[in-house]
Amino acid sequence: MNILISACLLGVKCRYDGKGKTYDVLSALPESIRLIPVCPEQLGGLSTPRPKAEIKNGRVINIEGTDVTDAFKRGAEEVLRLAEIFGCKYAILKENSPSCGKGQVYNGDFSGVLIDGDGICAKLLSQKGIKVFGESQIDKLLEETRNE
Ligand code: SF4
């Protein structure tokens, strides 16, 4: 089974600050799962490193005040394209990100405050029927995919 994953969760240095983060995601997954790494912000044409961005009133604005919504949307569409090519019905996406976050994102003030909401890519994938899990929800994902 192919499952999309935010590339930064595998340690790929694609984050806005040019770093990756290593999570012990791989060790919890059975060998039958093949991970398809994606970074919607890079796929949307944004550079790395890049200014931090947050969602405010439905738009994605970076800390320099530039509206980067179009790049975020383009990247989300490219991730959806890859999900369809690889037949992914599930995704493990980085929590709280303005692209990848599902359920909670930062409030747009760059103050570290989280509010309810989805990142641009997580929202599009969910709308298209792909089940999105955060990195802290691997157990839940395994439970859901047990019989597939
Ligand atoms: Fe990670 Fe997603 Fe941000 Fe790319 S867009 S660095 S995959 S959280």
Side-chain angles (χ1 to χ4, degrees), residues 30-143:
E31 283 184 9
S32 57
I33 290 179
R34 189 161 58 140
L35 296 172
I36 309 295
V38 290
C39 175
E41 290 175 29
Q42 287 188 337
L43 285 165
L46 295 170
S47 59
T48 305
R50 55 191 169 274
K52 194 175 191 175
E54 294 189 0
I55 299 172
K56 185 86 172 177
N57 300 326
R59 306 294 296 178
V60 190
I61 312 292
N62 72 20
I63 199 162
E64 296 171 349
T66 304
D67 188 321
V68 287
T69 310
D70 288 350
F72 272 61
K73 284 187 174 172
R74 202 160 48 234
E77 292 285 351
E78 290 303 282
V79 170
L80 177 62
R81 183 200 307 272
L82 288 166
E84 288 169 353
I85 289 170
F86 286 96
C88 300
K89 292 192 289 181
Y90 299 92
I92 303 166
L93 298 186
K94 176 76 187 75
E95 291 162 1
N96 308 334
S97 150
S99 285
C100 294
K102 175 86 179 103
Q104 280 198 311
V105 290
Y106 291 107
N107 72 351
D109 292 340
F110 300 96
S111 55
V113 176
L114 289 166
I115 55 171
D116 289 346
D118 294 334
I120 304 296
C121 183
K123 188 173 183 178
L124 179 66
L125 295 181
S126 298
Q127 285 170 344
K128 297 295 179 181
I130 294 168
K131 292 189 179 170
V132 177
F133 295 83
E135 69 271 19
S136 67
Q137 299 177 308
I138 300 291
D139 289 349
K140 212 169 146 190
L141 169 76
L142 292 175
E143 184 65 37

